[in-house]
């Protein structure tokens, strides 16, 4: 074959592939442009996983009419004047490639107006065709939309996942930027439904709650800049991390920004997890957002086309700052949120012997959750890992008080039952299959669209754990059978709870595991439920039989322990 020059059209498509891998990368570029334009409000809308429509609207500076056609030229940027500037980047963009790349693979339109102009201008281009400019009515700011993404590159579409998955990636991008820019009001609409809204009030913790929901919101701890004595020269870290009472089975909720830029960095994620040390069960990972600020000259952002990876000149210092900041945040956490026994092991610094943690308030350190992590005193346990317990009574209709060989134990009845149910489901699945209880009449349940999406994804797994549920059309499903284990509960209500939890990502190592954990959780005895002494004894003895009695399927502790020694210390007998 003779050598030929590629046509500009082909070159455009190839280059577009480097910047625009999938809908979420388009959203990332557009959101970054809006941030660079000084926007205080950014609205993202997608349809069909971003293939039908991606639209980003901001109230930023807008683009001068004369500059409009230039925005679609490759390597046209208002942000970089000389190569030297690369070391002193104050903006997220600098390559001038994004808009040209997006326009090459979509039905593209950009509407913009700058303050002081009577009206706006629009520029349209169809899959890289010569742009056409026209006058339009528009508020100050910019709206960019891309329709029919990759309509001219069908091969690329084949690499994309299901629309719900692609929408999920977009959600992750918007959440990450909303976390990093709490003073900007972000909203995300997915297929016409609002899926995220932050208030732009500048409060990190409010953003964490808006993104991750109430439960995580309650468990988040602010990461403050380190005090002078502990600070690491040239590295500042701020943000938030969730206490160990909430965690994930993957690392996708660990988000790092460096100087305003979202990055992926394995070593930093490990450094962060090191700070949690034994606070999290094996296979569980934290939820965290950290914004790291360093001298721009000490990083190279140019190593990756979509700028997702960067190189630090001194990676170890950055990792140390991340770890230390997380240590401090965790050490200030309220006790209720922290398994204290294992927390003690964080006093032994793992990587830096010179660094000493501040001691937590000793009065709060009395109730120590049992954990699989090495504690100071090896507890005297019974073969299953849980001590022989004598039930004394119930507190607050939620906790069982028991006496063990070494002190007193408080058992969370919900977490304990969840562990029992989870293991029973798994056992039955491994054996002859799960016992099912057929419904006399099928129970019709109406699902919200997001519940329906999760239901469709989880149908096989739900069947495997004992639910027979069929689509009935029009957003309705018919429950025909439920696992025999869950007989006493309202199946419709529990199905909603299970699907809603799964919509948040699932807690298990596999999807089947996530479905089992969620089903166990939402079919268990709740808190605020009075139990008879017999019921409590039965529950404790079931718990003793499980393989991991000390944590529920979500990794929350099932029991707290106050040892004989602790009791004596607290009553000043020692
Ligand atoms: P880069 O961001 O690397 O400069 P882009 O292709 O993303 O390249 O954008 C090209 C130019 O278009 C930017 O330099 C900027 O001047 C202008 N621009 C893009 N999006 C916006 C926006 N939302 N508001 C104002 N100007 C924008
Ligand atoms: Mg850009």
């Amino acid at each position: 074959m003779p050598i030929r020059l590629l046509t500009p059209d082909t070159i455009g498509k190839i280059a577009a592939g480097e910047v625009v891998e999938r809908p979420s990368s388009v959203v990332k570029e557009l959101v970054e442009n809006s941030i660079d334009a000084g926007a205080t409000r950014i609205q993202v809308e997608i349809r069909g996983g971003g293939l039908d429509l991606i639209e980003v609207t901001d109230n930023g500076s807008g683009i001068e009419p004369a500059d409009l056609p230039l925005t679609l030229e490759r390597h046209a940027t208002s942000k970089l004047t000389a190569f030297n500037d690369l070391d002193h980047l104050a903006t997220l963009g600098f390559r001038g490639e994004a808009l040209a790349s997006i326009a090459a693979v979509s039905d593209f339109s950009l509407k913009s107006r700058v303050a002081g102009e009577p009206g706006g201008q629009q520029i349209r281009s169809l899959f890289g065709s010569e742009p056409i400019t026209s006058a339009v009515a528009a508020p100050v700011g910019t709206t960019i939309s891309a329709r029919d993404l990759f309509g001219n590159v069908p091969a690329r579409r084949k690499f994309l996942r299901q629309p719900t998955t692609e929408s999920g990636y977009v959600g992750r991008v918007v959440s990450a930027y909303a976390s990093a820019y709490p003073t900007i009001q972000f909203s995300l609409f997915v297929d016409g439904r609002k899926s995220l809204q932050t208030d732009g009030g500048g409060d990190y913790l409010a953003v964490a709650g808006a993104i991750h929901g109430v439960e995580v919101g309650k468990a988040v701890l602010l990461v403050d800049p380190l005090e002078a004595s502990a600070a690491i020269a040239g590295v500042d870290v701020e943000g938030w991390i969730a206490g160990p009472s909430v965690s994930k089975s993957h690392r996708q909720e660990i988000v790092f920004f460096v100087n305003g830029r979202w990055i992926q960095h394995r070593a930093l994620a490990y450094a962060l997890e090191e700070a949690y040390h034994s606070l999290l069960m094996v296979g569980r990972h934290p939820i965290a957002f950290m914004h790291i600020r360093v001298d721009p000259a000490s990083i190279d952002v140019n190593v990756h086309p979509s700028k997702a990876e960067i190189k630090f000149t001194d990676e170890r210092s950055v990792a140390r700052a991340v770890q230390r900041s997380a240590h401090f945040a965790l050490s200030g956490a309220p006790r209720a949120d922290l398994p204290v026994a294992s927390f003690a092991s964080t006093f032994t610094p793992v990587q830096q012997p010179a660094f000493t943690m501040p001691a937590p308030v000793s009065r709060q350190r009395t109730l120590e959750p049992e954990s699989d992590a090495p504690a100071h005193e090896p507890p005297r346990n019974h073969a299953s890992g849980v001590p022989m317990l004598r039930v004394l009574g119930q507190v607050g209709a939620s906790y069982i008080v028991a006496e063990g060989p070494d002190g007193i134990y408080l058992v969370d009845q919900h977490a304990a039952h969840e562990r029992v149910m989870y293991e029973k489901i798994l056992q039955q699945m491994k054996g002859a299959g799960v016992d099912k209880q057929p419904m006399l009449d099928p129970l019709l349940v109406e699902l919200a669209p997001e519940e329906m999406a999760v239901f469709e994804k989880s149908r096989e797994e739900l069947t495997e754990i004992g639910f027979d549920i069929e689509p009935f059309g029009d957003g309705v499903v018919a429950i025909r059978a439920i696992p025999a284990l869950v007989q006493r509960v309202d199946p419709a209500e529990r199905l909603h709870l299970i699907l809603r939890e799964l919509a948040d990502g699932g807690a298990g190592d596999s999807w089947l595991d996530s479905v089992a954990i969620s089903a166990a959780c939402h079919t268990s005895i709740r808190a605020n439920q009075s139990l008879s002494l017999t019921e409590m004894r039965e529950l404790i003895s079931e718990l003793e039989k499980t393989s991991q009695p000390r944590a529920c399927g979500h990794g929350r502790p099932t029991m707290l322990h106050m040892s004989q020694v602790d009791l004596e210390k607290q009553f000043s007998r020692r």
Side-chain angles (χ1 to χ4, degrees):
M1 289 265 277
I3 297 180
R4 279 197 209 99
L5 279 175
L6 298 174
T7 63
D9 177 53
T10 310
I11 294 172
K13 280 191 205 166
I14 293 173
E18 286 179 12
V19 181
V20 184
E21 192 193 339
R22 55 186 352 120
S24 60
S25 31
V26 173
V27 171
K28 173 177 178 288
E29 294 295 336
L30 297 183
V31 165
E32 288 193 345
N33 280 346
S34 297
I35 294 170
D36 281 347
T40 57
R41 217 172 48 233
I42 301 175
Q43 178 180 315
V44 180
E45 187 185 345
I46 57 165
R47 291 182 183 273
L51 293 183
D52 297 343
L53 172 73
I54 295 170
E55 184 166 274
V56 175
T57 301
D58 68 51
N59 65 349
S61 63
I63 303 168
E64 292 288 347
D67 288 342
L68 214 58
L70 275 179
T71 56
L72 297 192
E73 295 279 342
R74 214 163 275 287
H75 309 301
T77 175
S78 59
K79 302 172 192 173
L80 192 65
T81 47
F83 194 69
N84 259 356
D85 279 0
L86 266 180
D87 284 347
H88 305 280
L89 278 173
T91 54
L92 299 169
F94 59 86
R95 295 160 174 273
E97 270 179 333
L99 295 191
S101 299
I102 298 164
V105 293
S106 69
D107 172 356
F108 180 92
S109 118
L110 185 160
K111 239 193 292 185
S112 193
R113 179 177 149 206
V114 291
E117 286 286 329
Q121 295 275 319
Q122 168 168 280
I123 182 166
R124 273 200 75 177
S125 159
L126 206 59
F127 300 108
S129 70
E130 196 57 38
I132 297 167
T133 311
S134 56
V136 286
V140 172
T142 304
T143 296
I144 296 178
S145 51
R147 289 167 210 274
D148 196 10
L149 187 68
F150 301 132
N152 59 334
V153 234
R156 196 153 267 283
R157 281 210 169 183
K158 292 209 189 89
F159 285 104
L160 299 180
R161 314 272 297 269
Q162 292 296 316
T164 43
T165 310
E166 294 294 338
S167 298
Y169 295 152
V170 170
R172 231 181 266 159
V173 168
V174 179
S175 300
Y177 282 86
S179 301
Y181 296 88
T183 55
I184 299 178
Q185 197 183 91
F186 280 87
S187 55
L188 169 64
F189 290 81
V190 176
D191 296 321
R193 199 179 53 85
K194 187 185 276 186
S195 83
L196 176 70
Q197 170 84 62
T198 63
D199 63 8
D203 180 359
Y204 271 132
L205 299 188
V207 175
I211 294 171
H212 293 286
V214 194
E215 197 195 345
V216 173
K218 274 192 251 161
V220 281
L221 310 162
L222 207 55
V223 172
D224 289 320
L226 291 167
E227 301 205 345
S229 59
I232 291 183
V235 192
D236 287 323
V237 180
E238 58 175 48
W240 50 264
I241 60 178
S245 62
V246 291
S247 61
K248 292 278 173 185
S249 62
H250 50 72
R251 293 199 174 84
Q252 280 154 10
E253 301 301 346
I254 302 176
V255 174
F256 290 109
F257 270 68
V258 173
N259 295 358
R261 223 177 226 107
W262 189 16
I263 59 146
Q264 315 286 334
H265 207 290
R266 272 178 161 242
L268 293 187
Y270 289 134
L272 169 69
E273 294 200 329
E274 203 53 70
Y276 282 78
H277 197 50
S278 52
L279 294 178
L280 291 175
M281 303 238 309
V282 174
R284 308 297 302 174
H285 304 282
I287 302 170
F289 164 78
M290 284 190 169
H291 202 152
I292 301 160
R293 290 178 213 273
V294 293
D295 178 353
S298 74
I299 50 176
D300 178 4
V301 293
N302 208 14
V303 292
H304 195 274
S306 65
K307 298 163 284 183
E309 282 162 22
I310 62 168
K311 278 209 181 89
F312 295 100
T313 45
D314 185 1
E315 182 179 306
R316 291 189 56 162
S317 291
V318 179
R320 206 178 299 154
V322 162
Q323 192 179 344
R324 209 174 269 190
S325 305
H327 263 308
F328 273 102
L330 289 167
S331 70
R335 274 326 85 170
D337 201 40
L338 277 182
V340 187
S342 42
F343 180 71
S345 60
T346 63
F347 294 149
T348 324
V350 186
Q351 291 182 338
Q352 324 123 34
F355 176 63
T356 317
M357 290 294 299
V361 186
S362 66
R363 214 158 21 94
Q364 295 177 315
R365 297 194 55 226
T366 46
L367 280 176
E368 310 208 335
E370 287 293 284
S371 96
D372 293 326
H376 341 269
E377 295 172 34
R380 279 148 258 163
N381 291 338
H382 145 296
S384 71
V386 81
M388 300 290 273
L389 297 178
R390 186 170 69 89
V391 174
L392 301 176
Q394 196 185 22
V395 181
S398 301
Y399 307 102
I400 300 169
V401 190
E403 184 191 15
D406 179 23
I408 62 171
Y409 291 78
L410 273 182
V411 177
D412 178 322
Q413 67 193 37
H414 169 65
H417 195 225
E418 183 182 338
R419 163 56 60 185
V420 169
M421 293 290 276
Y422 171 59
E423 295 210 0
K424 278 192 179 168
I425 292 173
L426 293 187
Q427 249 166 28
Q428 290 192 357
M429 264 164 41
K430 273 190 225 139
V434 179
D435 292 337
K436 286 183 186 177
Q437 169 82 26
M439 313 283 282
L440 288 178
D441 289 311
L443 178 68
L444 299 186
V445 183
E446 191 174 353
L447 299 182
E450 67 274 21
E451 293 173 331
M452 185 55 91
V454 180
F455 166 72
E456 273 155 13
K457 174 178 176 196
S458 321
R459 237 181 114 180
E460 229 172 84
E461 288 81 5
L462 285 165
T463 309
E464 236 176 294
I465 64 169
F467 285 97
D468 267 355
I469 309 175
E470 281 168 16
F472 202 75
D474 255 2
V476 174
V477 296
I479 306 183
R480 296 187 184 281
I482 57 170
L485 287 169
V486 311
Q487 269 181 45
R488 280 178 303 177
V489 304
D490 170 1
E493 183 206 325
R494 299 313 160 105
L495 181 64
H496 285 301
L497 290 170
I498 293 168
L499 294 178
R500 255 175 261 152
E501 182 182 86
L502 290 173
D504 289 342
D509 291 333
S510 66
W511 193 245
L512 179 60
D513 197 35
S514 292
V515 175
I517 289 174
S518 187
C521 173
H522 296 297
T523 52
S524 302
I525 301 173
R526 317 305 301 175
N528 294 316
Q529 193 171 329
S530 296
L531 300 177
S532 70
L533 216 48
T534 319
E535 285 172 315
M536 288 190 271
R537 284 197 197 113
E538 205 172 295
L539 177 56
I540 297 289
S541 101
E542 301 252 33
L543 183 64
E544 284 171 357
K545 288 182 212 143
T546 61
S547 67
Q548 282 196 53
R550 289 144 194 261
C552 76
H554 289 96
R556 287 191 284 271
T558 54
M559 56 176 74
L560 301 174
H561 175 212
M562 190 192 275
S563 71
Q564 202 65 37
V565 174
D566 284 332
L567 281 169
E568 284 166 16
K569 275 194 201 143
Q570 291 300 311
F571 288 114
S572 307
R573 286 167 175 273
R574 279 202 167 215

